[in-house]
Amino acid sequence: MQQENLSLLQIISVVPLHTLTTAMEISGSENGSITLTSSEYDEYARQTKLIDINAGTTLYTTDALGQITWMNTATAGDGV
């Protein structure tokens, strides 16, 4: 049986030019587990950081085309 993730809450922050800067989501599954994630974005809406309360923090650097050129993988305990 496939578990379905249920989004419980989403918080989005934008700057005056309507550029997404941060997004936070709390989600849960049918088995009762809850995940809290937060993402940060640059001025071109490219993800620069992902914080997962369970998995840790992952940092991203992208080139002008938006392709990931560097990634520092999440480390447990680095979460929110």
Side-chain angles (χ1 to χ4, degrees), residues 20-36:
L20 179 68
T21 57
T22 59
M24 183 176 292
E25 181 174 352
I26 300 172
S27 59
S29 65
E30 291 178 356
N31 70 0
S33 65
I34 295 177
T35 302
L36 171 63

Side-chain angles (χ1 to χ4, degrees), residues 51-68:
I51 302 171
D52 182 313
I53 197 160
N54 298 316
T57 302
T58 302
L59 302 174
Y60 304 95
T61 301
T62 57
D63 61 17
L65 299 174
Q67 298 177 341
I68 296 173

Side-chain angles (χ1 to χ4, degrees), residues 2-76:
Q2 184 177 6
Q3 294 182 358
E4 180 179 333
N5 285 336
L6 308 170
S7 181
L8 304 175
L9 174 68
Q10 290 185 327
I11 300 170
I12 297 174
S13 172
V14 295
V15 293
L17 297 175
H18 306 288
T19 303
L20 179 68
T21 57
T22 59
M24 183 176 292
E25 181 174 352
I26 300 172
S27 59
S29 65
E30 291 178 356
N31 70 0
S33 65
I34 295 177
T35 302
L36 171 63
T37 57
S38 175
S39 297
E40 294 181 12
Y41 301 86
D42 67 11
E43 63 273 16
Y44 301 105
R46 296 179 296 218
Q47 188 174 26
T48 58
K49 185 184 226 181
L50 173 67
I51 302 171
D52 182 313
I53 197 160
N54 298 316
T57 302
T58 302
L59 302 174
Y60 304 95
T61 301
T62 57
D63 61 17
L65 299 174
Q67 298 177 341
I68 296 173
T69 58
W70 178 83
M71 181 173 75
N72 182 1
T73 309
T75 324

